[in-house]
Amino acid sequence: MVENTTSRHLLPFLAVAQAQKEITHNEALVRIDALLHPVVEDEIATPPVLLAADAGKCWLIAELATGIWQGKAGQIACWTGGSWRYISPVQSMTVRNNASSTHAVWINGQWITAPTISDPQSGTVIDTEARAAIIALLSHFRMIGQFTG
Protein backbone atom coordinates (compact mmCIF):
# COMPACT_ATOMS: atom_id res chain seq x y z
CA MET A 1 0.00 0.00 0.00
CA VAL A 2 1.38 3.41 -0.98
CA GLU A 3 1.08 6.10 1.68
CA ASN A 4 0.08 9.63 0.68
CA THR A 5 1.14 11.33 3.93
CA THR A 6 3.72 11.06 6.66
CA SER A 7 2.57 8.91 9.54
CA ARG A 8 2.99 11.38 12.40
CA HIS A 9 1.79 14.80 11.26
CA LEU A 10 0.11 13.77 8.00
CA LEU A 11 2.34 15.95 5.81
CA PRO A 12 1.49 15.31 2.15
CA PHE A 13 3.99 13.43 0.00
CA LEU A 14 4.72 14.42 -3.57
CA ALA A 15 3.61 11.72 -5.99
CA VAL A 16 5.41 10.54 -9.11
CA ALA A 17 4.02 12.33 -12.19
CA GLN A 18 1.81 14.48 -9.98
CA ALA A 19 0.45 17.63 -11.61
CA GLN A 20 0.82 20.88 -9.66
CA LYS A 21 3.31 19.52 -7.14
CA GLU A 22 3.66 23.02 -5.72
CA ILE A 23 0.22 22.74 -4.11
CA THR A 24 1.19 19.60 -2.18
CA HIS A 25 4.61 21.03 -1.35
CA ASN A 26 3.16 24.34 -0.14
CA GLU A 27 0.59 22.55 2.03
CA ALA A 28 3.40 20.61 3.69
CA LEU A 29 5.35 23.83 4.28
CA VAL A 30 2.32 25.50 5.93
CA ARG A 31 1.98 22.57 8.33
CA ILE A 32 5.73 22.42 9.04
CA ASP A 33 5.74 26.17 9.72
CA ALA A 34 2.98 25.70 12.32
CA LEU A 35 4.54 22.60 13.88
CA LEU A 36 8.15 23.75 14.15
CA HIS A 37 8.37 25.17 17.69
CA PRO A 38 4.56 25.56 17.90
CA VAL A 39 3.17 28.70 19.52
CA VAL A 40 -0.51 29.51 19.99
CA GLU A 41 -2.05 32.87 20.76
CA ASP A 42 -4.54 31.40 23.26
CA GLU A 43 -7.07 28.61 23.79
CA ILE A 44 -10.50 29.78 22.59
CA ALA A 45 -13.78 28.27 21.39
CA THR A 46 -14.82 30.85 18.79
CA PRO A 47 -12.71 31.60 15.72
CA PRO A 48 -11.35 35.16 15.86
CA VAL A 49 -11.91 37.69 13.10
CA LEU A 50 -8.57 37.98 11.31
CA LEU A 51 -6.92 39.73 8.40
CA ALA A 52 -4.44 38.43 5.84
CA ALA A 53 -1.71 40.14 7.90
CA ASP A 54 -2.47 37.71 10.76
CA ALA A 55 -1.24 34.75 8.69
CA GLY A 56 0.76 32.27 10.73
CA LYS A 57 -1.09 32.82 14.01
CA CYS A 58 -2.44 29.69 15.69
CA TRP A 59 -4.92 28.91 18.46
CA LEU A 60 -5.79 25.86 20.53
CA ILE A 61 -9.43 25.02 19.91
CA ALA A 62 -11.25 24.82 23.25
CA GLU A 63 -14.05 22.46 24.23
CA LEU A 64 -17.51 23.40 22.98
CA ALA A 65 -16.03 25.16 19.96
CA THR A 66 -18.45 27.02 17.70
CA GLY A 67 -18.72 27.99 14.06
CA ILE A 68 -16.25 26.38 11.68
CA TRP A 69 -14.29 25.12 14.69
CA GLN A 70 -17.20 23.01 15.94
CA GLY A 71 -16.12 19.39 16.42
CA LYS A 72 -12.41 20.27 16.33
CA ALA A 73 -11.76 20.67 20.08
CA GLY A 74 -8.14 19.99 21.03
CA GLN A 75 -6.79 20.68 17.56
CA ILE A 76 -4.48 23.55 16.66
CA ALA A 77 -6.11 26.02 14.25
CA CYS A 78 -3.61 27.89 12.07
CA TRP A 79 -4.64 30.94 10.04
CA THR A 80 -3.01 31.03 6.60
CA GLY A 81 -4.23 34.50 5.66
CA GLY A 82 -7.39 33.32 3.91
CA SER A 83 -8.37 30.02 5.50
CA TRP A 84 -7.76 27.73 8.47
CA ARG A 85 -5.54 24.66 8.65
CA TYR A 86 -6.19 22.21 11.47
CA ILE A 87 -3.52 20.11 13.09
CA SER A 88 -4.36 17.16 15.29
CA PRO A 89 -1.89 16.89 18.16
CA VAL A 90 0.17 13.77 18.77
CA GLN A 91 1.11 12.24 22.11
CA SER A 92 3.59 14.41 24.07
CA MET A 93 3.38 17.36 21.63
CA THR A 94 4.13 20.65 23.39
CA VAL A 95 2.90 24.15 22.49
CA ARG A 96 3.60 27.56 23.99
CA ASN A 97 0.50 29.60 24.90
CA ASN A 98 1.32 33.32 24.55
CA ALA A 99 -1.78 34.51 26.45
CA SER A 100 -1.03 32.52 29.61
CA SER A 101 2.78 32.37 29.22
CA THR A 102 2.59 28.61 29.76
CA HIS A 103 3.34 25.41 27.89
CA ALA A 104 0.69 22.79 27.25
CA VAL A 105 1.46 19.13 26.59
CA TRP A 106 -0.91 16.76 24.74
CA ILE A 107 -1.27 13.76 27.07
CA ASN A 108 -3.82 10.99 26.53
CA GLY A 109 -6.22 13.10 24.48
CA GLN A 110 -6.06 16.41 26.32
CA TRP A 111 -3.88 19.49 26.71
CA ILE A 112 -2.24 19.51 30.14
CA THR A 113 -0.72 22.62 31.69
CA ALA A 114 1.26 22.87 34.89
CA PRO A 115 -0.92 23.46 37.94
CA THR A 116 -0.80 26.80 39.72
CA ILE A 117 1.12 26.22 42.91
CA SER A 118 1.05 28.85 45.62
CA ASP A 119 4.27 29.81 47.32
CA PRO A 120 4.64 28.31 50.78
CA GLN A 121 3.54 30.80 53.45
CA SER A 122 5.31 31.53 56.72
CA GLY A 123 3.99 30.00 59.91
CA THR A 124 4.44 26.99 62.10
CA VAL A 125 3.90 24.46 59.27
CA ILE A 126 6.51 25.68 56.79
CA ASP A 127 7.96 22.21 56.23
CA THR A 128 4.52 20.73 55.53
CA GLU A 129 3.65 23.46 53.02
CA ALA A 130 7.00 23.14 51.26
CA ARG A 131 6.61 19.38 51.09
CA ALA A 132 3.10 19.75 49.58
CA ALA A 133 4.40 22.16 46.92
CA ILE A 134 7.28 19.85 46.02
CA ILE A 135 4.91 16.86 45.82
CA ALA A 136 2.61 18.82 43.48
CA LEU A 137 5.56 19.72 41.23
CA LEU A 138 6.83 16.15 41.14
CA SER A 139 3.32 14.86 40.40
CA HIS A 140 3.03 17.21 37.42
CA PHE A 141 6.45 16.30 36.03
CA ARG A 142 5.62 12.60 36.41
CA MET A 143 2.33 13.15 34.56
CA ILE A 144 4.07 14.73 31.56
CA GLY A 145 6.79 12.10 31.54
CA GLN A 146 9.65 14.17 32.93
CA PHE A 147 10.09 12.09 36.09
CA THR A 148 9.09 8.58 37.03
CA GLY A 149 7.54 7.65 40.31
Side-chain angles (χ1 to χ4, degrees), residues 13-48:
F13 284 141
L14 296 175
V16 175
Q18 174 183 342
Q20 298 180 320
K21 290 182 193 278
E22 68 277 3
I23 293 172
T24 303
H25 178 74
N26 290 344
E27 179 64 23
L29 288 177
V30 166
R31 294 176 64 81
I32 290 168
D33 187 49
L35 290 166
L36 189 63
H37 305 292
V39 175
V40 296
E41 301 301 314
D42 202 356
E43 182 175 9
I44 58 177
T46 303

mmCIF file of all heavy atoms in Angstrom, residues 13-48:
data_model
loop_
_atom_site.group_PDB
_atom_site.id
_atom_site.type_symbol
_atom_site.label_atom_id
_atom_site.label_comp_id
_atom_site.label_asym_id
_atom_site.label_seq_id
_atom_site.Cartn_x
_atom_site.Cartn_y
_atom_site.Cartn_z
ATOM 1 N N PHE A 13 2.867 13.820 0.845
ATOM 2 C CA PHE A 13 3.995 13.433 0.001
ATOM 3 C C PHE A 13 3.749 13.910 -1.426
ATOM 4 O O PHE A 13 2.606 13.991 -1.876
ATOM 5 C CB PHE A 13 4.140 11.907 -0.052
ATOM 6 C CG PHE A 13 4.733 11.294 1.180
ATOM 7 C CD1 PHE A 13 4.234 10.093 1.649
ATOM 8 C CD2 PHE A 13 5.801 11.866 1.850
ATOM 9 C CE1 PHE A 13 4.780 9.488 2.777
ATOM 10 C CE2 PHE A 13 6.349 11.274 2.973
ATOM 11 C CZ PHE A 13 5.839 10.093 3.431
ATOM 12 N N LEU A 14 4.816 14.192 -2.134
ATOM 13 C CA LEU A 14 4.722 14.416 -3.572
ATOM 14 C C LEU A 14 4.589 13.047 -4.235
ATOM 15 O O LEU A 14 5.207 12.079 -3.812
ATOM 16 C CB LEU A 14 5.968 15.126 -4.093
ATOM 17 C CG LEU A 14 6.212 16.539 -3.577
ATOM 18 C CD1 LEU A 14 7.546 17.058 -4.101
ATOM 19 C CD2 LEU A 14 5.095 17.456 -3.974
ATOM 20 N N ALA A 15 3.805 12.980 -5.277
ATOM 21 C CA ALA A 15 3.607 11.721 -5.993
ATOM 22 C C ALA A 15 4.329 11.778 -7.331
ATOM 23 O O ALA A 15 4.472 12.841 -7.935
ATOM 24 C CB ALA A 15 2.124 11.468 -6.208
ATOM 25 N N VAL A 16 4.775 10.627 -7.796
ATOM 26 C CA VAL A 16 5.408 10.537 -9.106
ATOM 27 C C VAL A 16 4.405 10.990 -10.157
ATOM 28 O O VAL A 16 3.236 10.620 -10.118
ATOM 29 C CB VAL A 16 5.871 9.083 -9.370
ATOM 30 C CG1 VAL A 16 6.423 8.957 -10.778
ATOM 31 C CG2 VAL A 16 6.891 8.661 -8.332
ATOM 32 N N ALA A 17 4.835 11.810 -11.081
ATOM 33 C CA ALA A 17 4.019 12.328 -12.188
ATOM 34 C C ALA A 17 2.815 13.144 -11.710
ATOM 35 O O ALA A 17 1.830 13.276 -12.418
ATOM 36 C CB ALA A 17 3.558 11.187 -13.098
ATOM 37 N N GLN A 18 2.903 13.674 -10.524
ATOM 38 C CA GLN A 18 1.811 14.482 -9.981
ATOM 39 C C GLN A 18 1.787 15.854 -10.647
ATOM 40 O O GLN A 18 2.809 16.512 -10.761
ATOM 41 C CB GLN A 18 1.990 14.651 -8.468
ATOM 42 C CG GLN A 18 0.997 15.579 -7.825
ATOM 43 C CD GLN A 18 1.282 15.757 -6.332
ATOM 44 O OE1 GLN A 18 1.982 14.966 -5.727
ATOM 45 N NE2 GLN A 18 0.731 16.802 -5.755
ATOM 46 N N ALA A 19 0.602 16.274 -11.068
ATOM 47 C CA ALA A 19 0.446 17.627 -11.614
ATOM 48 C C ALA A 19 0.386 18.616 -10.449
ATOM 49 O O ALA A 19 -0.068 18.275 -9.360
ATOM 50 C CB ALA A 19 -0.824 17.712 -12.438
ATOM 51 N N GLN A 20 0.849 19.802 -10.651
ATOM 52 C CA GLN A 20 0.816 20.881 -9.662
ATOM 53 C C GLN A 20 1.416 20.466 -8.318
ATOM 54 O O GLN A 20 0.804 20.596 -7.272
ATOM 55 C CB GLN A 20 -0.613 21.397 -9.489
ATOM 56 C CG GLN A 20 -1.187 21.989 -10.755
ATOM 57 C CD GLN A 20 -2.594 22.496 -10.572
ATOM 58 O OE1 GLN A 20 -3.409 21.876 -9.905
ATOM 59 N NE2 GLN A 20 -2.879 23.637 -11.183
ATOM 60 N N LYS A 21 2.633 19.950 -8.360
ATOM 61 C CA LYS A 21 3.315 19.520 -7.137
ATOM 62 C C LYS A 21 3.471 20.659 -6.136
ATOM 63 O O LYS A 21 3.576 20.423 -4.944
ATOM 64 C CB LYS A 21 4.684 18.944 -7.471
ATOM 65 C CG LYS A 21 4.632 17.617 -8.194
ATOM 66 C CD LYS A 21 6.037 17.106 -8.434
ATOM 67 C CE LYS A 21 6.086 15.960 -9.395
ATOM 68 N NZ LYS A 21 5.802 14.677 -8.909
ATOM 69 N N GLU A 22 3.477 21.887 -6.630
ATOM 70 C CA GLU A 22 3.661 23.023 -5.723
ATOM 71 C C GLU A 22 2.532 23.133 -4.705
ATOM 72 O O GLU A 22 2.741 23.587 -3.577
ATOM 73 C CB GLU A 22 3.803 24.338 -6.510
ATOM 74 C CG GLU A 22 2.564 24.813 -7.237
ATOM 75 C CD GLU A 22 2.332 24.173 -8.601
ATOM 76 O OE1 GLU A 22 3.108 23.291 -9.015
ATOM 77 O OE2 GLU A 22 1.354 24.556 -9.260
ATOM 78 N N ILE A 23 1.333 22.682 -5.051
ATOM 79 C CA ILE A 23 0.218 22.737 -4.106
ATOM 80 C C ILE A 23 0.483 21.803 -2.938
ATOM 81 O O ILE A 23 0.352 22.175 -1.774
ATOM 82 C CB ILE A 23 -1.112 22.394 -4.812
ATOM 83 C CG1 ILE A 23 -1.444 23.495 -5.826
ATOM 84 C CG2 ILE A 23 -2.243 22.224 -3.797
ATOM 85 C CD1 ILE A 23 -2.615 23.176 -6.718
ATOM 86 N N THR A 24 0.873 20.571 -3.222
ATOM 87 C CA THR A 24 1.192 19.599 -2.177
ATOM 88 C C THR A 24 2.384 20.064 -1.357
ATOM 89 O O THR A 24 2.370 19.995 -0.127
ATOM 90 C CB THR A 24 1.485 18.223 -2.810
ATOM 91 O OG1 THR A 24 0.352 17.832 -3.585
ATOM 92 C CG2 THR A 24 1.783 17.178 -1.764
ATOM 93 N N HIS A 25 3.410 20.557 -2.030
ATOM 94 C CA HIS A 25 4.605 21.027 -1.346
ATOM 95 C C HIS A 25 4.280 22.216 -0.439
ATOM 96 O O HIS A 25 4.707 22.265 0.720
ATOM 97 C CB HIS A 25 5.681 21.420 -2.376
ATOM 98 C CG HIS A 25 6.926 21.953 -1.766
ATOM 99 N ND1 HIS A 25 7.834 21.142 -1.120
ATOM 100 C CD2 HIS A 25 7.413 23.216 -1.687
ATOM 101 C CE1 HIS A 25 8.830 21.886 -0.674
ATOM 102 N NE2 HIS A 25 8.604 23.146 -1.004
ATOM 103 N N ASN A 26 3.512 23.173 -0.936
ATOM 104 C CA ASN A 26 3.158 24.343 -0.135
ATOM 105 C C ASN A 26 2.303 23.972 1.069
ATOM 106 O O ASN A 26 2.458 24.548 2.147
ATOM 107 C CB ASN A 26 2.463 25.391 -1.001
ATOM 108 C CG ASN A 26 3.419 26.044 -1.979
ATOM 109 O OD1 ASN A 26 4.632 25.955 -1.837
ATOM 110 N ND2 ASN A 26 2.862 26.696 -2.984
ATOM 111 N N GLU A 27 1.398 23.012 0.900
ATOM 112 C CA GLU A 27 0.591 22.554 2.033
ATOM 113 C C GLU A 27 1.486 21.962 3.114
ATOM 114 O O GLU A 27 1.299 22.219 4.300
ATOM 115 C CB GLU A 27 -0.451 21.528 1.575
ATOM 116 C CG GLU A 27 -1.316 20.975 2.686
ATOM 117 C CD GLU A 27 -2.200 22.012 3.360
ATOM 118 O OE1 GLU A 27 -2.505 23.060 2.765
ATOM 119 O OE2 GLU A 27 -2.589 21.773 4.527
ATOM 120 N N ALA A 28 2.462 21.175 2.720
ATOM 121 C CA ALA A 28 3.400 20.609 3.693
ATOM 122 C C ALA A 28 4.182 21.715 4.400
ATOM 123 O O ALA A 28 4.385 21.658 5.616
ATOM 124 C CB ALA A 28 4.359 19.636 3.002
ATOM 125 N N LEU A 29 4.603 22.731 3.666
ATOM 126 C CA LEU A 29 5.350 23.828 4.282
ATOM 127 C C LEU A 29 4.494 24.601 5.283
ATOM 128 O O LEU A 29 4.996 25.008 6.346
ATOM 129 C CB LEU A 29 5.889 24.779 3.202
ATOM 130 C CG LEU A 29 7.037 24.240 2.359
ATOM 131 C CD1 LEU A 29 7.410 25.255 1.279
ATOM 132 C CD2 LEU A 29 8.245 23.887 3.213
ATOM 133 N N VAL A 30 3.214 24.806 4.995
ATOM 134 C CA VAL A 30 2.319 25.496 5.930
ATOM 135 C C VAL A 30 2.236 24.715 7.231
ATOM 136 O O VAL A 30 2.324 25.277 8.324
ATOM 137 C CB VAL A 30 0.912 25.694 5.305
ATOM 138 C CG1 VAL A 30 -0.115 26.093 6.355
ATOM 139 C CG2 VAL A 30 0.967 26.736 4.204
ATOM 140 N N ARG A 31 2.083 23.400 7.122
ATOM 141 C CA ARG A 31 1.981 22.567 8.327
ATOM 142 C C ARG A 31 3.303 22.525 9.086
ATOM 143 O O ARG A 31 3.322 22.594 10.316
ATOM 144 C CB ARG A 31 1.497 21.168 7.953
ATOM 145 C CG ARG A 31 0.058 21.177 7.418
ATOM 146 C CD ARG A 31 -0.398 19.809 6.963
ATOM 147 N NE ARG A 31 -0.451 18.844 8.056
ATOM 148 C CZ ARG A 31 -1.460 18.739 8.920
ATOM 149 N NH1 ARG A 31 -2.504 19.537 8.828
ATOM 150 N NH2 ARG A 31 -1.439 17.826 9.881
ATOM 151 N N ILE A 32 4.417 22.422 8.377
ATOM 152 C CA ILE A 32 5.726 22.423 9.035
ATOM 153 C C ILE A 32 5.948 23.745 9.752
ATOM 154 O O ILE A 32 6.437 23.780 10.891
ATOM 155 C CB ILE A 32 6.856 22.146 8.019
ATOM 156 C CG1 ILE A 32 6.801 20.696 7.550
ATOM 157 C CG2 ILE A 32 8.223 22.469 8.614
ATOM 158 C CD1 ILE A 32 7.679 20.407 6.346
ATOM 159 N N ASP A 33 5.577 24.855 9.117
ATOM 160 C CA ASP A 33 5.738 26.167 9.724
ATOM 161 C C ASP A 33 4.970 26.254 11.043
ATOM 162 O O ASP A 33 5.448 26.831 12.017
ATOM 163 C CB ASP A 33 5.266 27.250 8.754
ATOM 164 C CG ASP A 33 5.568 28.645 9.255
ATOM 165 O OD1 ASP A 33 6.716 28.903 9.666
ATOM 166 O OD2 ASP A 33 4.653 29.492 9.239
ATOM 167 N N ALA A 34 3.781 25.680 11.096
ATOM 168 C CA ALA A 34 2.981 25.698 12.318
ATOM 169 C C ALA A 34 3.519 24.740 13.373
ATOM 170 O O ALA A 34 3.409 25.005 14.575
ATOM 171 C CB ALA A 34 1.532 25.346 11.989
ATOM 172 N N LEU A 35 4.105 23.634 12.944
ATOM 173 C CA LEU A 35 4.540 22.598 13.881
ATOM 174 C C LEU A 35 5.961 22.785 14.404
ATOM 175 O O LEU A 35 6.309 22.234 15.446
ATOM 176 C CB LEU A 35 4.437 21.221 13.213
ATOM 177 C CG LEU A 35 3.015 20.734 12.984
ATOM 178 C CD1 LEU A 35 3.006 19.548 12.027
ATOM 179 C CD2 LEU A 35 2.373 20.369 14.305
ATOM 180 N N LEU A 36 6.771 23.555 13.721
ATOM 181 C CA LEU A 36 8.148 23.751 14.152
ATOM 182 C C LEU A 36 8.160 24.769 15.287
ATOM 183 O O LEU A 36 7.841 25.933 15.079
ATOM 184 C CB LEU A 36 8.999 24.241 12.976
ATOM 185 C CG LEU A 36 10.492 24.300 13.206
ATOM 186 C CD1 LEU A 36 11.044 22.904 13.473
ATOM 187 C CD2 LEU A 36 11.176 24.896 11.991
ATOM 188 N N HIS A 37 8.436 24.327 16.487
ATOM 189 C CA HIS A 37 8.365 25.173 17.691
ATOM 190 C C HIS A 37 6.987 25.826 17.792
ATOM 191 O O HIS A 37 6.859 27.047 17.717
ATOM 192 C CB HIS A 37 9.467 26.233 17.696
ATOM 193 C CG HIS A 37 10.831 25.674 17.540
ATOM 194 N ND1 HIS A 37 11.420 24.898 18.502
ATOM 195 C CD2 HIS A 37 11.706 25.750 16.530
ATOM 196 C CE1 HIS A 37 12.614 24.526 18.093
ATOM 197 N NE2 HIS A 37 12.805 25.022 16.887
ATOM 198 N N PRO A 38 5.926 25.029 17.958
ATOM 199 C CA PRO A 38 4.563 25.564 17.896
ATOM 200 C C PRO A 38 4.240 26.549 19.022
ATOM 201 O O PRO A 38 4.563 26.317 20.184
ATOM 202 C CB PRO A 38 3.685 24.320 17.993
ATOM 203 C CG PRO A 38 4.544 23.264 18.571
ATOM 204 C CD PRO A 38 5.950 23.597 18.204
ATOM 205 N N VAL A 39 3.617 27.642 18.610
ATOM 206 C CA VAL A 39 3.175 28.697 19.519
ATOM 207 C C VAL A 39 1.724 29.005 19.178
ATOM 208 O O VAL A 39 1.377 29.131 18.007
ATOM 209 C CB VAL A 39 4.031 29.968 19.348
ATOM 210 C CG1 VAL A 39 3.497 31.110 20.209
ATOM 211 C CG2 VAL A 39 5.484 29.689 19.679
ATOM 212 N N VAL A 40 0.879 29.124 20.203
ATOM 213 C CA VAL A 40 -0.507 29.515 19.993
ATOM 214 C C VAL A 40 -0.758 30.839 20.699
ATOM 215 O O VAL A 40 -0.107 31.158 21.694
ATOM 216 C CB VAL A 40 -1.496 28.437 20.483
ATOM 217 C CG1 VAL A 40 -1.335 27.149 19.680
ATOM 218 C CG2 VAL A 40 -1.348 28.163 21.972
ATOM 219 N N GLU A 41 -1.700 31.586 20.159
ATOM 220 C CA GLU A 41 -2.053 32.871 20.764
ATOM 221 C C GLU A 41 -2.805 32.661 22.074
ATOM 222 O O GLU A 41 -2.606 33.385 23.034
ATOM 223 C CB GLU A 41 -2.892 33.705 19.797
ATOM 224 C CG GLU A 41 -2.196 34.006 18.478
ATOM 225 C CD GLU A 41 -0.892 34.757 18.662
ATOM 226 O OE1 GLU A 41 -0.866 35.738 19.441
ATOM 227 O OE2 GLU A 41 0.105 34.364 18.030
ATOM 228 N N ASP A 42 -3.714 31.662 22.086
ATOM 229 C CA ASP A 42 -4.536 31.395 23.260
ATOM 230 C C ASP A 42 -5.343 30.130 22.991
ATOM 231 O O ASP A 42 -5.294 29.571 21.901
ATOM 232 C CB ASP A 42 -5.476 32.571 23.531
ATOM 233 C CG ASP A 42 -5.974 32.625 24.978
ATOM 234 O OD1 ASP A 42 -5.666 31.711 25.777
ATOM 235 O OD2 ASP A 42 -6.682 33.591 25.317
ATOM 236 N N GLU A 43 -6.113 29.698 23.963
ATOM 237 C CA GLU A 43 -7.072 28.610 23.787
ATOM 238 C C GLU A 43 -8.457 29.237 23.821
ATOM 239 O O GLU A 43 -8.853 29.818 24.840
ATOM 240 C CB GLU A 43 -6.931 27.552 24.882
ATOM 241 C CG GLU A 43 -7.881 26.393 24.702
ATOM 242 C CD GLU A 43 -7.662 25.277 25.709
ATOM 243 O OE1 GLU A 43 -6.893 25.455 26.662
ATOM 244 O OE2 GLU A 43 -8.275 24.212 25.517
ATOM 245 N N ILE A 44 -9.183 29.148 22.709
ATOM 246 C CA ILE A 44 -10.497 29.776 22.594
ATOM 247 C C ILE A 44 -11.460 28.833 21.875
ATOM 248 O O ILE A 44 -11.032 27.886 21.217
ATOM 249 C CB ILE A 44 -10.420 31.135 21.863
ATOM 250 C CG1 ILE A 44 -9.818 30.988 20.456
ATOM 251 C CG2 ILE A 44 -9.616 32.148 22.685
ATOM 252 C CD1 ILE A 44 -9.793 32.287 19.650
ATOM 253 N N ALA A 45 -12.755 29.122 22.001
ATOM 254 C CA ALA A 45 -13.778 28.266 21.392
ATOM 255 C C ALA A 45 -14.385 28.868 20.132
ATOM 256 O O ALA A 45 -14.990 28.154 19.344
ATOM 257 C CB ALA A 45 -14.889 27.981 22.407
ATOM 258 N N THR A 46 -14.225 30.167 19.939
ATOM 259 C CA THR A 46 -14.819 30.845 18.789
ATOM 260 C C THR A 46 -13.720 31.389 17.894
ATOM 261 O O THR A 46 -12.829 32.101 18.375
ATOM 262 C CB THR A 46 -15.718 32.007 19.263
ATOM 263 O OG1 THR A 46 -16.702 31.480 20.157
ATOM 264 C CG2 THR A 46 -16.403 32.686 18.104
ATOM 265 N N PRO A 47 -13.754 31.086 16.604
ATOM 266 C CA PRO A 47 -12.705 31.599 15.716
ATOM 267 C C PRO A 47 -12.649 33.119 15.742
ATOM 268 O O PRO A 47 -13.683 33.783 15.658
ATOM 269 C CB PRO A 47 -13.128 31.107 14.326
ATOM 270 C CG PRO A 47 -14.077 29.981 14.579
ATOM 271 C CD PRO A 47 -14.745 30.277 15.887
ATOM 272 N N PRO A 48 -11.460 33.701 15.864
ATOM 273 C CA PRO A 48 -11.353 35.158 15.863
ATOM 274 C C PRO A 48 -11.522 35.719 14.453
ATOM 275 O O PRO A 48 -11.364 35.005 13.465
ATOM 276 C CB PRO A 48 -9.927 35.401 16.375
ATOM 277 C CG PRO A 48 -9.182 34.179 15.963
ATOM 278 C CD PRO A 48 -10.165 33.049 16.044
#
